[in-house]
Amino acid sequence: MVERRYRVAVRRLRGAAAALTPAGVSNERPAQPVPNGAAPSLTYADAGVDIDAGNAMVERIKPMVRATRRPGADAEIGGFGGLFDLKAAGFTDPILVAANDGVGSKVKIAAETGRHATVGIDLVAMCVNDLVVQGAEPLFFLDYYATGRLDPTVGAVLVEGIAAGCREAGAALIGGETAEMPGLYAGSDYDLAGFSVGAAERGALLPRPDIMPGDLLLGLPSSGVHSNGFSLVRRIVAASGLRWTDPAPFAQGQDLAEALLTPTRIYVRPILAALRAQGQRFGLKALAHITGGGFPDNVPRVLPPGCAAEVDLSAIAVPPVFGWLSRTGNVAESEMLRTFNCGIGMVLVVAESERDAVAASLAESGEHPVTLGRLVPRGEGAGVRFTGRLALGSPSP
């Protein structure tokens, strides 16, 4: 593995480690013969790991990493781990919140099409959105990039996307690792994982303990599929007979790959602004990031046992991609709701008396919140109950 550790936002060590690949299935180079019938002298390059490529990537990404510095993390080089100064970041009595995630099989589309610029944004979004739902401000981020053959250009493009996501979220990129592992990944295949830590002052964490029936549900629109359900997406695309370079049937002016690679939205800044505008009123009580499992699995995670969410599906402006997926794959509405965000990437639980104030704050940040429904007594029913129908044109309920 080529380690990429940063001391407060920039340092990557230059080492490598990889498992030897079984014969006949790898990037391994043939061992060089030696005279007199002696055993060949093997090198790391013979095993398929290029340290020079790792070093080249390190040099290319340093300016990108420096650009993510923020209060608490500067751009000094050195150290075996990333550092963060909570006091310099302005915290008094903080609780740390940690999250990790990946991009899933969406990276397969990026790898197959050579379009790597946005999946790094997805990686950051999937982590920092999980922090902000607990009321935490993202502070720093670390990435893990694993591949069968390291291409410094591809690696730099991926880190550039990660850095862009970090800047949008206000998080410093303080560490990372690149693993070149021939035999574990085929050729240029790769995977990404991210790790982020945020903080909230003690007493400001979400969800709040006073959630109750009658509280309203607001939704923030998604940019599309985000980073969940791509195994099903890819299965539907294969069944459709379309190529990645064919025009997207649901997105004018884009080909299929470009449309599906639209990055996951990062909701950090508008939500933090809304929380700060609330001050001590605490009308914004809970948030749910709508990822794998959709509404049915994610909304109940932030509700107390006595509450259920009643969601009006007809209130959602469903992006065309979801209608296309539903119709082309003959995917039922119930399966769509359990697999995809269906147009809402974040759900807010808000006191009815504070609905207008929270919506106004979100609007000031450029958001267009949708009133989805309200909380009701749960009783013996499901944690999420739907009224209305999604505008999918789906062939079955």
Side-chain angles (χ1 to χ4, degrees):
M1 284 178 279
V2 178
E3 297 182 3
R4 303 183 279 113
R5 305 254 185 250
Y6 314 36
R7 180 179 182 272
V8 197
V10 76
R11 180 178 171 273
R12 301 204 170 202
L13 291 179
R14 302 162 182 179
L20 292 177
T21 311
V25 295
S26 75
N27 303 323
E28 296 174 9
R29 304 175 186 177
Q32 297 301 310
V34 296
N36 303 322
S41 177
L42 293 175
T43 68
Y44 219 174
D46 295 330
V49 179
D50 189 341
I51 295 176
D52 291 334
N55 291 342
M57 178 179 161
V58 168
E59 294 305 312
R60 295 183 66 166
I61 64 176
K62 283 182 178 180
M64 307 170 196
V65 177
R66 289 191 183 102
T68 70
R69 59 178 176 261
R70 54 151 293 158
D74 58 23
E76 295 300 319
I77 296 175
F80 284 89
L83 305 179
F84 193 92
D85 186 340
L86 283 167
K87 186 175 181 180
F91 287 91
T92 303
D93 186 20
I95 300 293
L96 295 179
V97 182
N100 73 292
D101 212 329
V103 184
S105 58
K106 188 175 186 177
V107 299
K108 189 69 173 174
I109 302 176
E112 289 178 358
T113 62
R115 305 181 192 187
H116 311 284
T118 58
V119 288
I121 299 173
D122 288 304
L123 183 66
V124 176
M126 295 300 290
C127 295
V128 298
N129 287 341
D130 283 354
L131 297 179
V132 78
V133 298
Q134 295 184 256
E137 174 189 344
L139 302 177
F140 58 85
F141 188 87
L142 302 96
D143 70 275
Y144 177 77
Y145 163 44
T147 184
R149 181 188 291 275
L150 179 59
D151 181 332
T153 299
V154 172
V157 171
L158 290 169
V159 174
E160 186 174 15
I162 293 168
C166 286
R167 292 194 302 271
E168 185 175 349
L173 181 55
I174 68 167
E177 175 138 324
T178 297
E180 187 174 23
M181 297 186 285
L184 187 57
Y185 294 89
S188 59
D189 280 353
Y190 65 85
D191 196 12
L192 298 171
F195 313 85
S196 192
V197 171
E201 293 291 355
R202 194 178 303 273
L205 289 170
L206 299 179
R208 294 193 54 76
D210 58 343
I211 296 171
M212 64 183 69
D215 289 338
L216 299 183
L217 299 172
L218 303 182
L220 300 184
S222 69
S223 58
V225 183
H226 282 184
S227 298
N228 295 100
F230 271 86
S231 294
L232 179 55
V233 169
R234 291 169 50 245
R235 178 74 176 269
I236 292 170
V237 170
S240 75
L242 292 174
R243 298 169 299 178
W244 296 125
T245 54
D246 287 336
F250 51 85
Q252 187 174 3
Q254 294 183 301
D255 67 23
L256 190 58
E258 181 184 5
L260 290 173
L261 287 171
T262 300
T264 306
R265 289 198 60 207
I266 294 175
Y267 297 98
V268 169
R269 293 188 188 275
I271 288 175
L272 288 179
L275 287 169
R276 289 163 182 157
Q278 277 285 294
Q280 297 299 309
R281 298 199 302 276
F282 300 118
L284 177 45
K285 298 182 178 184
L287 296 142
H289 184 200
I290 307 304
T291 56
F295 288 100
D297 285 7
N298 288 292
V299 174
R301 295 168 67 180
V302 301
L303 301 181
C307 289
E310 187 174 81
V311 177
D312 178 7
L313 296 177
S314 66
I316 301 173
V318 181
V321 60
F322 296 111
W324 181 80
L325 290 168
S326 176
R327 294 188 301 271
T328 306
N330 193 32
V331 183
E333 181 184 80
S334 58
E335 186 69 14
M336 293 293 294
L337 287 165
R338 188 85 189 276
T339 306
F340 301 113
N341 65 67
C342 294
I344 297 294
M346 189 71 70
V347 172
L348 296 75
V349 178
V350 180
E352 187 170 13
S353 62
E354 293 295 324
R355 187 263 176 208
D356 290 344
V358 172
S361 176
L362 292 168
E364 287 179 4
S365 298
E367 292 291 337
H368 302 281
V370 178
T371 301
L372 298 173
R374 65 177 60 243
L375 298 187
V376 296
R378 177 158 185 170
E380 299 299 321
V384 180
R385 302 162 191 180
F386 297 111
T387 63
R389 296 290 302 276
L390 288 173
L392 292 170
S394 181
S396 57

